[in-house]
Amino acid sequence: MPHALTRAIAAARVILLTTPDIDGDAVGSIVALARAITTRWPGRRVIVGADEALPTRYAFLADPDLFQVAPDLPDAPIDLALVLDGDPSRLQAVGEAYRSARLRGLVDHHKSSVHADVDIAFLDPRCSSTAEMVLRLCDHWGVPLDRPLAEAIWAGMVFDTSVFRYRLTRPATLRAAARLLETGIDHARIVEQVLLSQSAAKVALRGVMINRMRIGADGRLAWAALDAETVAGTETGGLVDDLVFIEGVEIGALLVDKGEGRVKLSLRSRGGVDVSVLARGLSPKGGGHARAAGATLAGPLEAAVQATVVAARAALHAPDALKGDTPDAGA
Ligand SMILES: [Mn+2]
């Protein structure tokens, strides 16, 4: 167990929790860890900072004021900064607060996380979600599993496993899930809130994506590109899943023009290709899991599409070269 992390939290007065991507696992993990820390060590001040505001979908998990948007963070010297569910190198404005901390740590289940800028790492790439790792911390610290804690951890687990569909769902994951349900949480409502419920704009965007989808590499690659004008600020999380679950397709790739010369690439795999290696090959900060990964590429959109398709075709033709150490792992 992470004794160094426990000692660092016990010794800190002001603790910053942050993440590079505000998704269901990141929010669930942060909310749960903040609660666990203040329960176990009353008097600790926990600041939650991120590069974006908390999406309204997750508002039911946290006081909206809990998540503060960098650089507008409280002006307090940070003793310990922890990044959850992602790589510290991908922090943007909040990275300055992270680096200002006396001690820096990482709690993560991504296998491609880089350990630069990290003093203490609690990593478990076999874990289905960072939230599941936070539950282990709660147990280690003797923090009782109450309903608010269980709701936050459940949100993270169901988000990252897509309700226990993916390979990283292990017996331990389901045992942990059973304990969460035993607290009496409204598990179905949380699944609806974090995964199923979508804006009308996103459903319409899915239609556009499917219309623009291209299939290549003998039916093994599906990709689509969405320009900034079409996306118009609509959230695109999870759309890429529609591309990979097509019969015969092994890699799904969605490219979204974020403006200012940046293109967000989301990759999914269900064949032998480790897309975290593919993402890393396309951008030094790219990465993720064997079956779900991403990267930010340089624009214009057409150039990013071209680079992605070329790299994905190469990966499909030489899958051994891109296989990770644990081909069975992946989100
Ligand atoms: Mn995660």
Side-chain angles (χ1 to χ4, degrees):
M1 282 310 285
H3 299 296
L5 178 64
T6 304
R7 279 196 301 273
I9 294 172
R13 281 191 307 171
V14 180
I15 299 169
L16 171 74
L17 303 183
T18 187
T19 181
D21 289 308
I22 301 198
D23 67 14
D25 188 27
V27 174
S29 303
I30 284 177
V31 169
L33 186 58
R35 189 173 176 86
I37 289 173
T38 50
T39 304
R40 174 67 180 77
W41 291 278
R44 297 297 176 284
R45 180 168 178 208
V46 176
I47 297 170
V48 176
D51 287 313
E52 298 163 63
L54 182 67
T56 52
R57 159 186 306 272
Y58 304 119
F60 74 102
L61 284 175
D63 181 339
D65 297 335
L66 179 68
F67 277 74
Q68 313 211 26
V69 181
D72 297 324
L73 300 180
D75 193 17
I78 297 162
D79 300 311
L80 173 66
L82 297 175
V83 173
L84 283 87
D85 198 38
D87 205 310
S89 70
R90 292 177 45 240
L91 298 173
Q92 294 171 43
V94 77
E96 197 174 316
Y98 174 76
R99 286 185 296 273
S100 78
R102 215 162 39 79
L103 265 181
R104 293 170 287 250
L106 176 63
V107 179
D108 192 18
H109 69 128
H110 290 85
K111 76 182 178 89
S112 61
S113 272
V114 200
H115 306 165
D117 262 355
V118 171
D119 303 305
I120 303 161
F122 175 35
L123 299 172
D124 187 355
R126 293 166 312 142
C127 223
S128 71
S129 57
T130 302
E132 193 183 328
M133 295 174 67
V134 173
L135 178 60
R136 272 163 52 199
L137 288 173
C138 292
D139 291 341
H140 180 62
W141 295 335
V143 171
L145 182 60
D146 62 7
R147 231 170 122 145
L149 204 49
E151 283 176 348
I153 294 168
W154 176 256
M157 279 175 62
V158 295
F159 182 87
D160 264 26
T161 61
S162 200
V163 204
F164 312 110
R165 285 191 292 187
Y166 298 142
R167 273 162 205 256
L168 280 177
T169 302
R170 299 167 302 152
T173 315
L174 295 177
R175 284 192 197 102
R179 291 177 57 205
L180 303 177
L181 263 52
E182 278 162 1
T183 66
I185 57 171
D186 190 345
H187 57 90
R189 185 185 63 89
I190 297 171
V191 169
E192 195 178 301
Q193 189 74 28
V194 304
L195 283 170
L196 302 178
S197 179
Q198 296 175 38
S199 66
K202 186 168 175 181
V203 175
L205 192 60
R206 172 175 280 117
V208 174
M209 177 191 80
I210 289 169
N211 273 306
R212 292 187 188 172
M213 176 185 77
R214 301 274 309 276
I215 295 200
D218 302 322
R220 298 165 72 196
L221 171 66
W223 74 94
L226 295 170
D227 56 278
E229 200 181 327
T230 302
V231 174
T234 305
E235 187 259 325
T236 56
L239 288 181
V240 66
D241 290 333
D242 286 342
L243 300 176
V244 76
F245 291 110
I246 297 170
E247 284 177 19
V249 168
E250 294 172 48
I251 298 177
L254 175 63
L255 295 106
V256 176
D257 192 345
K258 304 297 275 184
E260 295 165 0
R262 292 181 307 127
V263 176
K264 182 183 167 193
L265 167 66
S266 302
L267 291 166
R268 293 292 182 271
S269 167
R270 60 181 180 126
V273 175
D274 180 339
V275 284
S276 74
V277 179
L278 182 56
R280 181 62 54 90
L282 283 161
S283 158
K285 288 186 182 176
H289 305 282
R291 290 175 173 259
T296 300
L297 308 182
L301 184 59
E302 293 68 27
V305 170
Q306 180 70 17
T308 301
V309 170
V310 166
R313 281 182 195 276
L316 285 165
H317 288 123
D320 288 345
L322 285 176
K323 268 186 183 161
D325 299 327
T326 51
D328 205 33

